[in-house]
Amino acid sequence: MSETILRADDVVKQFALRGRHRGTIKAVDGVSLEVKAGETLGIVGESGCGKSTFGQCLTRLVDVTSGTIQFEGTDISKLSRRQLRPVRSRLQMVFQDPYSSLNPRMRVGDIVAEPMRIHKTGDRRAIQARVADLLERVGFDASMAGRFPHEFSGGQRQRIGIARALALNPSVLVADEPVSALDVSVQAQVLNLLADLQDEFGLTYVFIAHDLGVVEHVSDRVAVMYLGEIVELADAEELYASPAHHYTAALLSAIPQLDGEAEPERERIVLTGDVPSPANKPSGCPFHPRCPAATEICRTEHPVLHEEGGRAVACHHPLPLRVLSSAERGA
């Protein structure tokens, strides 16, 4: 996992405010990160932090305001729709809502076949064979290709969305909250399916979620977002065992723990106040109005995302890190 396959450099995405309150909102504010081939990079944060918008920027579903997106060594941030066509086959997205992302008037076989028809990847017989193979790989019988999306459950519809995303043999899948709309029992099935497909096809995942409990079990590295910015980026094991940013520590403390769990019980950290509006971000550190360790420098100076030892954190007063035991490292 040493080769960088997807890279964002100082990506900004602004949206114009209309009506009485004119101005701009920076949904994504200067995000830079790298995704290594074969890894799963988790992106987490509260609702409204900009993680889904950033995922859409990575796949060029929305245009970036500034900054660059490099995919497989090519800058795709300024490519036209025609120039993006070959990129689309290698960079796909799985959406949050498994119903609204599927055309209710199309049969499942046509939904999965549509990308191949658009990109003209084979004749009718080859496409039908590919559809049958993909449906079987996500747990369906090929005979289900003639059904409509409303005939399936939420988890089954998400499997259809995954099959469609795999139709063109992509190298990277950006999964935007792929299990948040599903029952807990179904979530595990879809997550196991994604893990199996990653091993089988050598896929790279960018896994976007607000549930840190889910991200912990699927990610190699985790980036934490707050108000459009990355505030911490680290290996998953290290981040969950010893967070450096106060916001990360608060998010982790909210994960329910079962009696008898091996890991030590976390002290519950309750953040005061609401998440500030991205249209009116606080001065200095954007987290300082809710941070229990904020000082004057936090209110006046914006912290830089500083990397050291494979971990990056944007905080003037980071939490002390502890050395992980061999058991915590999975040895």
Side-chain angles (χ1 to χ4, degrees):
M1 296 193 303
S2 59
E3 179 186 356
T4 298
I5 191 169
L6 186 62
R7 177 188 178 110
D9 287 305
D10 199 22
V11 171
V12 173
K13 178 57 183 177
Q14 294 182 347
F15 293 99
L17 289 174
R18 305 189 184 280
R20 296 177 57 187
H21 304 286
R22 294 187 177 275
T24 59
I25 290 180
K26 279 189 178 181
V28 180
D29 192 0
V31 172
S32 298
L33 54 77
E34 295 181 350
V35 183
K36 305 295 184 181
E39 78 167 339
T40 298
L41 173 67
I43 301 180
V44 300
E46 294 171 289
S47 296
C49 72
K51 57 188 184 296
S52 292
T53 301
F54 179 61
Q56 293 171 10
C57 289
L58 289 176
T59 54
R60 278 296 311 276
L61 291 181
V62 298
D63 295 332
V64 300
T65 303
S66 63
T68 60
I69 303 289
Q70 291 189 30
F71 174 61
E72 296 182 334
T74 301
D75 184 357
I76 66 171
S77 51
K78 298 296 188 294
L79 296 183
S80 66
R81 292 183 61 182
R82 176 174 293 183
Q83 292 171 325
L84 277 172
R85 281 181 65 101
V87 176
R88 298 289 189 203
S89 65
R90 303 285 293 161
L91 181 59
Q92 288 286 309
M93 192 162 191
V94 177
F95 298 93
Q96 176 178 356
D97 188 340
Y99 189 76
S100 63
S101 63
L102 304 178
N103 189 332
R105 297 187 178 186
M106 292 179 65
R107 298 181 188 274
V108 165
D110 293 327
I111 290 173
V112 178
E114 187 177 26
M116 293 180 278
R117 291 170 181 161
I118 291 174
H119 287 263
K120 301 178 181 179
T121 59
D123 58 23
R124 181 178 179 182
R125 181 174 297 180
I127 290 176
Q128 287 179 339
R130 174 68 172 161
V131 169
D133 179 63
L134 287 170
L135 290 178
E136 290 176 359
R137 289 179 186 272
V138 299
F140 291 133
D141 187 271
S143 62
M144 294 183 177
R147 298 185 183 181
F148 290 93
H150 72 268
E151 300 179 67
F152 295 87
S153 66
Q156 290 175 323
R157 287 195 291 263
Q158 192 60 288
R159 289 171 180 265
I160 296 167
I162 293 170
R164 178 181 60 184
L166 293 175
L168 298 174
N169 294 311
S171 57
V172 176
L173 282 186
V174 178
D176 183 15
E177 302 269 15
V179 298
S180 64
L182 308 179
D183 293 338
V184 174
S185 59
V186 180
Q187 288 183 4
Q189 298 173 15
V190 174
L191 291 174
N192 289 335
L193 172 64
L194 288 171
D196 292 341
L197 293 172
Q198 184 175 35
D199 292 338
E200 183 175 358
F201 295 107
L203 295 168
T204 301
Y205 289 152
V206 177
F207 194 96
I208 299 169
H210 66 271
D211 187 338
L212 275 79
V214 170
V215 173
E216 178 180 12
H217 297 292
V218 301
S219 301
D220 299 300
R221 293 186 300 141
V222 177
V224 182
M225 286 191 71
Y226 186 78
L227 280 184
E229 303 179 27
I230 299 291
V231 296
E232 186 166 3
L233 175 63
D235 288 341
E237 290 180 349
E238 296 180 355
L239 183 137
Y240 279 82
S242 181
H245 199 282
H246 297 272
Y247 177 60
T248 307
L251 292 179
L252 292 177
S253 76
I255 300 177
Q257 289 182 285
L258 301 177
D259 294 337
E261 281 191 348
E263 64 183 68
E265 184 177 355
R266 299 188 183 99
E267 178 184 355
R268 183 71 172 93
I269 301 173
V270 180
L271 298 177
T272 59
D274 298 325
V275 180
S277 169
N280 186 26
K281 291 179 66 172
S283 60
C285 174
F287 185 60
H288 87 257
R290 307 173 71 196
C291 181
T295 62
E296 182 61 28
I297 191 175
C298 303
R299 290 183 279 271
T300 57
E301 293 187 21
H302 190 283
V304 177
L305 189 65
H306 175 68
E307 183 176 355
E308 184 175 349
R311 178 192 291 258
V313 60
C315 183
H316 293 299
H317 308 294
L319 293 166
L321 301 178
R322 62 185 182 86
V323 179
L324 272 63
S325 66
S326 59
E328 290 174 315
R329 292 184 180 276

